[in-house]
């Protein structure tokens, strides 16, 4: 089943970052192995790299996938909005993965600035993908600001810790059954991706767990498989844990010695 965001159907539920790969060739192979249809790109890398940045953008375009520009590294509303506006010019898309970082150590979003920036950008016609925490109230404010997608973290960026607050992630799914929810940040292993997909999330966005793997191409393929499996399992209806044992073999008709 496809993933629909902002009236766009995407064939894959795995979105990839494009940083930290050992080489452009391995990035290409990883994108192909993942089957992703969306990659996220930092405007800072494109703009600050000069000739090198231009080559990188040409390489991204050659992948044949949709680009989701991001405002990585922005620490204020003004900086994030200006970066988004420039990204729209450079990449030719209204999509923007909005990041407003509030803490240097954890890279935790400044959720107050995030909501404000989202409101400003939505008013300008941007289709905003906000990188946020798993906070339910913040999620409500982002939707009120015009966002149609939420991208909560499950752990700090690059930490590879996997989902730390299962109850909060489950609450998000329960409160917003019709809103596309994409886990962004904190996944380190395929089993982490399977876990959040089994909670009912619609997709995951990954970078470091694949880019820094011993074999990024194989890891990309592994994540692709579990993301689809987790999504299918959630929609197939999974058993809830039980406190007592329940026999899996029927006992009716069982032979009895008298």
């Amino acid at each position: 089943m496809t993933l629909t965001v902002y009236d766009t159907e995407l064939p894959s539920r795995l979105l990839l970052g494009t940083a930290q790969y050992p080489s452009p060739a391995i990035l290409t192979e990883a994108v192909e192995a993942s089957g992703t249809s969306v990659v996220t790109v930092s405007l800072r890398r494109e703009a600050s790299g000069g000739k090198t940045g231009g080559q990188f953008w040409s390489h991204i375009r050659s992948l044949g996938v949709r680009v989701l520009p991001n405002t990585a590294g922005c620490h204020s509303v003004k900086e994030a909005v200006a970066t988004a506006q420039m990204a729209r010019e450079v990449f030719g898309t209204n999509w923007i993965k909005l990041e407003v970082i509030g803490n240097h150590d954890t890279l935790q979003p400044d959720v107050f600035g995030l909501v404000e920036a989202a409101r400003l950008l939505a008013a300008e016609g941007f289709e905003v993908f906000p990188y946020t925490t798993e906070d339910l109230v913040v999620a409500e404010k982002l939707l009120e600001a015009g966002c149609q997608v939420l991208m909560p973290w499950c752990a700090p960026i690059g930490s590879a810790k996997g989902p730390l607050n299962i109850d909060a992630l489950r609450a998000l799914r329960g409160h917003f059954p019709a809103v596309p929810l994409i886990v962004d940040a904190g996944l380190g292993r395929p089993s982490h991706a399977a876990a959040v997909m089994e909670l009912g999330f619609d997709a995951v966005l990954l970078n470091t767990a694949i880019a820094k793997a011993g074999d990024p191409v194989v890891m990309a393929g592994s994540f692709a498989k579990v993301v689809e499996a987790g999504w299918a399992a959630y929609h197939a209806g999974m058993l809830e844990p039980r406190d007592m044992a329940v026999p899996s073999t029927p006992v009716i008709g069982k032979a009895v010695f008298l």
Side-chain angles (χ1 to χ4, degrees):
M1 295 290 288
T2 58
L3 167 66
T4 301
V5 288
Y6 288 111
D7 297 323
T8 300
E9 290 192 358
L10 303 173
S12 171
R13 296 178 179 275
L14 176 58
L15 292 71
L16 292 189
T18 55
Q20 306 184 72
Y21 282 86
S23 70
I26 292 178
L27 168 60
T28 298
E29 291 183 48
V31 168
E32 292 173 348
S34 72
T36 188
S37 50
V38 176
V39 297
T40 182
V41 178
S42 170
L43 174 67
R44 289 174 181 273
R45 179 171 183 175
E46 170 67 17
S48 64
K51 183 179 178 180
T52 302
Q55 291 174 344
F56 178 73
W57 175 220
S58 296
H59 180 73
I60 293 298
R61 283 188 294 187
S62 73
L63 298 175
V65 296
R66 183 151 186 160
V67 172
L68 173 59
N70 66 62
T71 62
C74 291
H75 290 260
S76 71
V77 173
K78 182 178 180 180
E79 187 181 15
V81 169
T83 300
Q85 292 168 336
M86 289 187 285
R88 179 157 61 180
E89 295 299 320
V90 171
F91 299 109
T93 176
N94 285 333
W95 280 17
I96 190 71
K97 177 174 174 278
L98 180 61
E99 296 185 20
V100 183
I101 300 302
N103 183 276
H104 291 280
D105 294 328
T106 64
L107 299 180
Q108 181 170 342
D110 170 1
V111 295
F112 305 101
L114 181 69
V115 171
E116 182 180 353
R119 182 174 292 108
L120 293 172
L121 291 171
E124 293 186 19
F126 280 91
E127 295 174 327
V128 181
F129 296 67
Y131 162 62
T132 183
T133 63
E134 69 276 64
D135 189 287
L136 186 61
V137 177
V138 174
E140 291 175 338
K141 297 298 183 184
L142 287 168
L143 295 175
E144 292 172 2
C147 298
Q148 297 181 22
V149 177
L150 296 172
M151 301 185 74
W153 70 354
C154 71
I157 293 174
S159 67
K161 291 186 175 180
L164 298 178
N165 194 341
I166 295 291
D167 290 340
L169 294 173
R170 185 179 285 114
L172 281 179
R173 180 72 289 168
H175 277 77
F176 308 113
V179 176
L181 299 178
I182 303 173
V183 165
D184 177 17
L187 300 176
R189 301 181 180 187
S191 58
H192 295 161
V196 296
M197 295 301 289
E198 289 178 359
L199 290 175
F201 278 71
D202 298 286
V204 300
L205 192 156
L206 296 168
N207 190 167
T208 309
I210 292 177
K212 303 298 286 184
D215 189 330
V217 178
V218 172
M219 189 62 77
S222 299
F223 269 103
K225 293 174 183 174
V226 300
V227 165
E228 289 300 324
W231 183 87
Y234 174 78
H235 290 277
M238 295 178 292
L239 291 179
E240 294 298 324
R242 298 163 173 162
D243 293 330
M244 300 295 291
V246 177
S248 57
T249 302
V251 295
I252 298 178
K254 186 177 180 180
V256 177
F257 292 101
L258 299 175

